Amino acid sequence: MERSFLMVKPDGVQRGLIGEIVSRFEKKGFKLVNAKLMQVSRQLAEKHYEELKDKPFFGELVDFITSGPVFAMVWEGNNVISVSRAMMGKTNPAEAAPGTIRADYAVSVGMNIIHGSDSPENAKREIDLWFNGEVVSYEKTIDKWI
Ligand code: GTP
Ligand code: MG
């Protein structure tokens, strides 16, 4: 089953949106297989966003992601990588479709509430980086209805 790394960013935690975001993915039918609230180190933030290290906003991005606790998660389900990205909406909340998380709760590209892996390769890399690859495998009796 496909897995993705998702994270409520510091703005989402401060604004009390952890429950709302977890609820959306639960209601969709995805399964939470790991989660933790944590303060991110600069080293971890730089590694996580290493593909963006040459962007002019990289320093700002690392400052922001280390500015307060994040809620890191691993979710499992059919096509969870692309479907969760669709549920998040476009990077810039101004361009995100109504009903998506970023459109409903954010107004700036810097503080856009949530991160989600963008490819199977990055999902694996990020689950290894944030959770040492560990997930909790379990059955739910409702699985056959999803
Ligand atoms: P993530 O799920 O967070 O990785 O977002 P994304 O995949 O939609 O976008 P991308 O990986 O290209 O950029 C990572 C993050 O950098 C975005 O979510 C934004 O928060 C931030 N970002 C992107 N562009 C800008 C920008 O122009 N200025 C600032 N301050 N931040 C930006
Ligand atoms: Mg990205």
Side-chain angles (χ1 to χ4, degrees), residues 1 16 21 37 44 47 49 56 63-64 67 79 81 98 101 103 108 112 131:
M1 188 65 77
I21 287 167
L37 183 79
L44 176 58
K47 188 102 189 102
Y49 281 123
D63 286 347
F64 168 58
S67 65
N79 299 313
I81 297 169
I101 293 167
S108 74
N112 61 3
F131 288 97

Side-chain angles (χ1 to χ4, degrees), residues 47-62:
K47 188 102 189 102
H48 173 74
Y49 281 123
E50 70 187 1
E51 286 177 344
L52 302 174
K53 67 174 186 301
D54 296 328
K55 300 276 185 196
F57 57 84
F58 183 71
E60 215 175 287
L61 180 58
V62 171

Side-chain angles (χ1 to χ4, degrees), residues 5 34-38 44 70-74 129-132:
F5 172 74
N34 216 336
K36 61 182 168 186
L37 183 79
M38 59 183 286
L44 176 58
V70 301
F71 191 66
M73 304 169 281
V74 183
L129 180 65
W130 291 80
F131 288 97
N132 210 7

